[in-house]
Amino acid sequence: MAEEKDSMLPPPPSPASGLKYRRIILKISGEALCGKEGGFGIHPETLLRVAAEIAELQRMGVQIGIVVGGGNIFRGLKGASAGMDRSQSDYMGMLATVINSLALQDALEKQAVPTRVMTAIEIRQIAEPYIRRRAIRHLEKGYVVIFGAGTGNPFFSTDTAAALRAMEIQAQALFKATKVEGIYDRDPQRHEDAQMFNRLTYDRFLVDKIGVMDSTAVTLCRENKLPIRVFKLTTRGNILRVCLGDDIGTVVGEES
Ligand code: UDP
């Protein structure tokens, strides 16, 4: 059935000139989809706006893999702190990411963007199982690929899933869309004079225990020299700007 659909697809868009990145992983936290900090569920307008920006990027010929979090629905750590078994609780968190993935797929399809959801835990009735080579093939054909269910393993996060998938599909960068402009020397919501870094090394990020992204994900990126750009999702046009190579937010990378 998938092959029949593929043959009906228009050829993938050719890359627009001026693009810095041809293949990327975009990590979107669950919280970003609920429209407000600490909120619950999915905010339809926010979802559509994010989808519209991704659609624009796809039409410019960028190959896009997306990893969505689940924090707007359920987080494993929260369940565990309320007395649940941690693994059980994490599996619930992973299922939450699948709900978000399906919502994002729907919103992208409304924008006429061909989209596949691939899950690290098999749920064949609603999504394809994750198979690396197939994911790459989808990207080459112009599909946006949403990776659901994180890594498929408890005790991990979707940040780590994003780093892992980025390595596997040989993405050129990992874009982490957050609620703040970038990485600061202290919490910008509590300290008015907080300074944003334009650039940060992996080592500094890890030594300073910066909480924007989990350390397992950053370690994986460091070992494979994959640059991470942290930027604000809710600023209109930001997703496009980072792909065009605009120097917004904070880059985490090597020394120079
Ligand atoms: N999770 C997991 N393994 C993974 C990815 C996610 O167990 O590889 C679970 C974990 O419980 C996590 C939840 O899924 O709390 C939602 O993911 P995350 O907290 O990374 O979402 P975000 O904060 O980005 O919304």
Side-chain angles (χ1 to χ4, degrees):
M1 194 178 84
E3 286 311 311
E4 264 170 43
K5 270 196 170 172
D6 281 352
S7 64
M8 283 151 49
L9 274 183
S14 359
S17 59
L19 277 182
K20 181 165 179 190
Y21 301 101
R22 276 285 284 133
R23 184 179 291 169
I24 59 141
I25 282 283
L26 177 64
K27 161 71 209 292
I28 302 175
S29 71
E31 214 174 58
L33 297 180
C34 72
K36 65 171 189 257
E37 204 178 319
F40 180 84
I42 297 166
H43 184 244
E45 285 86 48
T46 307
L47 184 69
L48 286 177
R49 192 188 58 71
V50 170
E53 289 200 27
I54 295 168
E56 207 176 332
L57 207 58
Q58 188 267 350
R59 286 185 198 112
M60 291 180 79
V62 181
Q63 297 180 9
I64 310 160
I66 303 175
V67 173
V68 202
N72 56 325
I73 300 172
F74 195 83
R75 268 186 225 281
L77 267 179
K78 208 167 171 190
S81 66
M84 282 187 76
D85 174 78
R86 171 70 194 268
S87 300
Q88 183 84 344
S89 191
D90 276 341
Y91 281 116
M92 289 170 69
M94 284 185 262
L95 293 181
T97 74
V98 178
I99 294 178
N100 285 333
S101 299
L102 295 179
L104 188 57
Q105 178 176 41
D106 182 76
L108 284 167
E109 286 179 345
K110 295 253 156 55
Q111 312 268 341
V113 176
T115 308
R116 292 282 202 230
V117 175
M118 303 189 106
T119 54
I121 295 172
E122 283 197 22
I123 320 179
R124 281 177 182 267
Q125 282 81 356
I126 55 170
E128 292 176 37
Y130 170 68
I131 297 171
R132 187 184 74 91
R133 283 170 185 274
R134 185 172 285 190
I136 292 173
R137 196 71 198 104
H138 287 330
L139 291 167
E140 287 168 349
K141 284 182 182 161
Y143 286 97
V144 169
V145 180
I146 304 172
F147 299 104
T151 63
N153 301 292
F155 299 96
F156 284 94
S157 72
T158 50
D159 282 350
T160 301
L164 183 64
R165 296 291 179 251
M167 254 50 101
E168 289 182 283
I169 65 158
Q170 294 168 340
Q172 292 162 288
L174 166 53
F175 293 140
K176 159 109 178 165
T178 66
K179 55 188 183 220
V180 288
E181 300 288 346
I183 301 173
Y184 290 79
D185 56 355
R186 56 208 133 138
D187 185 352
Q189 277 156 355
R190 281 201 226 140
H191 304 272
E192 263 184 28
D193 58 344
Q195 297 284 320
M196 191 181 91
F197 298 105
N198 179 251
R199 224 189 136 71
L200 206 61
T201 62
Y202 300 114
D203 290 340
R204 174 90 190 270
F205 186 103
L206 293 167
V207 168
D208 288 2
K209 297 191 169 67
I210 293 170
V212 170
M213 199 161 186
D214 77 57
S215 56
T216 314
V218 177
T219 306
L220 207 52
C221 291
R222 179 179 66 178
E223 275 161 23
N224 294 280
K225 300 186 175 51
L226 183 84
I228 306 164
R229 190 175 281 274
V230 177
F231 68 99
K232 188 169 182 171
L233 179 75
T234 51
T235 307
R236 221 167 270 267
N238 261 1
I239 296 179
L240 199 62
R241 289 180 64 198
V242 287
C243 271
L244 290 170
D246 278 13
D247 194 18
I248 55 171
T250 304
V251 184
V252 185
E254 290 197 291
E255 200 66 60
S256 63

